[in-house]
């Protein structure tokens, strides 16, 4: 071994690094192929080949390897050329142990960072991100936004149709943030009765109102140090919006019935499936509150715009539900996948979830075939159903039944009421479900049943 090389190897071994010394370019390439190095110190002057050729070959094999080149005094041009070809750094002979050590440490650190980035990218390519499935470019953009806002305290405003994953996004922001050790508190402004909402958010003290038998912390206090998710924010009553604005601006809350302000440290994430600006323009949502909360907008794309994600998500649900239900269903037939892909999915991921659950509960076999699918047309929201003339929606006949001494069958009352709710909710199933105080899947299930009955009746009439 050349005396200088021997010295370098000794320096580096003293630093607890595993060092392989090669005497020529060919030997170095063989060694790199046998056991890929994290970093390479490469003298450009080699007995058997051009040092730059070795650099090229090393990079062709592993673009993230950090190569430090050694040049002689006076051949800086060569060093510049090496940098252009992707060398990490260069050192000019002669150099001391500290210089070598520092340069190599930097090279190794860059390599570690490159590996981390590669790992994150792989995570994204795998199409999984904090509870989300899907690697469409549209969702990659969502993941990137979440990652870049997570570290800050900026308030995030999530929009997206029903079932697109707004709550999943809010949780992802919390989990990717430094506040993950604190609580994630979700408050659904549409599900809580108006007169209770204030105390749900800000808490109350004993005796604040009838039934307030003790002090109770609100969502704001529970989320101290964490994230407060204000779901369906556009449903918040107008007068309460001013109190929320004060909280967002000052970071202090005033529990109902208490004269004392309390300081809390929360990050706000708000969500709605409405168009918030239209709500502002219509005078239903305070503009000043909108701008306070709408610092970082995050729009979730509808499922129909996510390409192959629908299949990826459906496969994952199929595997989960088949396991849960003890069924053998392991795959979708190709024509089923084509049908899933072509569907419009007005209820987005939640609707897909219901369809797959329905298939798994009602069927078994090695694969999901077309006949197992619930009537997809029946899932195209409630609007289509209500296009048909509907007595319960259009006439007061139902109210007059008692006077007439006529009683409708319960299933008919139920169907008419669901249709009415869907009409009032513009075909938005989760919203209709909220009005009826039932789960959206109940509505989807009913829609399927009615479709099946209609199909059967149509078949009988034709026969
Ligand atoms: N990309 C996704 N991958 C896997 N599961 C998802 C995805 N997006 C949503 N989900 C699931 O779909 C369901 C609906 O998601 P979520 O409740 O977050 O939607 P939402 O936008 O808040 O709906 P809504 O407007 O009706 O409240 C949940 O069970 C969620 O776990
Ligand atoms: Mg939601």
């Amino acid at each position: 071994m050349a005396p200088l090389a021997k010295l370098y190897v000794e320096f580096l071994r003293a630093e607890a690094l595993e060092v392989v010394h090669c005497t020529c370019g060919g030997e170095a390439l063989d060694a790199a192929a046998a056991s890929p190095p994290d970093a390479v110190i490469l003298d450009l002057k080699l007995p058997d080949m051009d040092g730059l050729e070795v650099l090229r070959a090393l990079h062709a094999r592993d673009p993230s390897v950090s190569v430090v080149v050694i040049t002689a005094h006076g051949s800086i041009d060569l060093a510049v050329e090496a940098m252009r070809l992707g060398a990490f750094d260069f050192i000019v002979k002669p150099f001391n142990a500290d210089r070598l050590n520092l340069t190599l440490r930097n090279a190794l650190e860059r390599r570690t960072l490159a590996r981390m980035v590669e790992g994150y990218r792989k995570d994204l390519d795998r199409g999984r991100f904090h509870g989300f499935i899907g690697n469409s470019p549209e969702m990659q953009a969502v993941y990137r936004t979440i990652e870049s806002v997570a570290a800050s305290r900026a308030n995030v405003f999530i929009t997206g149709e029903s079932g697109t994953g707004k709550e999943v996004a809010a949780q992802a922001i919390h989990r990717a943030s430094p506040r993950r050790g604190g609580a994630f508190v979700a408050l659904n402004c549409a599900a809580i009765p108006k007169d209770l909402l204030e105390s749900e958010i800000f808490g109350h003290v004993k005796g604040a109102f009838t039934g307030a038998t003790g002090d109770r912390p609100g969502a704001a206090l529970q989320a101290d140090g964490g994230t407060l998710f204000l779901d369906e924010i556009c449903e918040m009553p107008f007068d309460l919006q001013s109190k929320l604005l004060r909280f967002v601006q000052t970071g202090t809350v005033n529990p109902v019935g208490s004269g004392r302000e309390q300081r809390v440290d929360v990050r706000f994430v708000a969500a709605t499936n409405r168009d918030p600006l239209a709500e502002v323009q219509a005078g239903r949502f305070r503009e000043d509150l909108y701008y306070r909360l709408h610092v970082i907008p995050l729009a979730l794309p509808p499922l129909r715009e996510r390409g192959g994600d629908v299949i990826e998500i459906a496969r994952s649900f199929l595997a989960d539900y088949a396991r849960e239900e003890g069924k053998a269903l392991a795959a979708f037939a190709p024509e089923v996948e084509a049908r899933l892909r072509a569907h419009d999915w007005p209820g987005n991921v939640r609707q897909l979830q219901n369809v797959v659950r329905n298939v798994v509960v009602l069927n078994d076999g090695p694969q999901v075939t077309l006949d197992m699918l619930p009537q997809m047309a029946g899932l195209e929201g409630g609007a289509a159903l209500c296009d048909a003339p509907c007595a319960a929606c259009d006439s007061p006949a139902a109210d007059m039944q008692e006077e007439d001494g006529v009683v409708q069958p319960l299933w008919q009352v139920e169907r008419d009421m669901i249709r009415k709710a869907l009409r009032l909710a513009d075909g938005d199933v989760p919203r209709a479900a909220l009005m009826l105080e039932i789960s959206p899947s109940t509505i989807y299930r009913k829609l399927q049943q009615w479709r099946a009955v209609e199909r059967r009746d149509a078949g009988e009439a034709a026969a």
Side-chain angles (χ1 to χ4, degrees), residues 150-171:
S152 86
R153 257 196 79 151
N155 296 334
V156 182
F157 202 108
I158 308 171
T159 52
E161 291 177 13
S162 247
T164 44
K166 294 185 292 295
E167 181 142 7
V168 178
Q171 278 170 349

Side-chain angles (χ1 to χ4, degrees), residues 131-133 162-168 306 317 349-350 353 430:
F132 281 112
I133 301 169
S162 247
T164 44
K166 294 185 292 295
E167 181 142 7
V168 178
R306 298 187 203 171
F317 288 160
V349 185
R350 183 177 292 114
Q353 218 168 26

Side-chain angles (χ1 to χ4, degrees), residues 6 39 64 73 100 104 109 168 247 342 371 379:
K6 191 161 178 257
S64 67
H73 187 66
L100 177 66
L104 191 64
E109 192 171 309
V168 178
F247 172 29
D371 57 301
L379 294 167

Side-chain angles (χ1 to χ4, degrees), residues 82 86 127 165 191 200 228 248 257 263 268 294 357 368 382 417:
E200 283 293 320
L228 180 58
V248 180
R263 176 156 289 281
F268 296 91
H294 197 270
R357 172 71 81 179
V368 179
M417 198 48 70

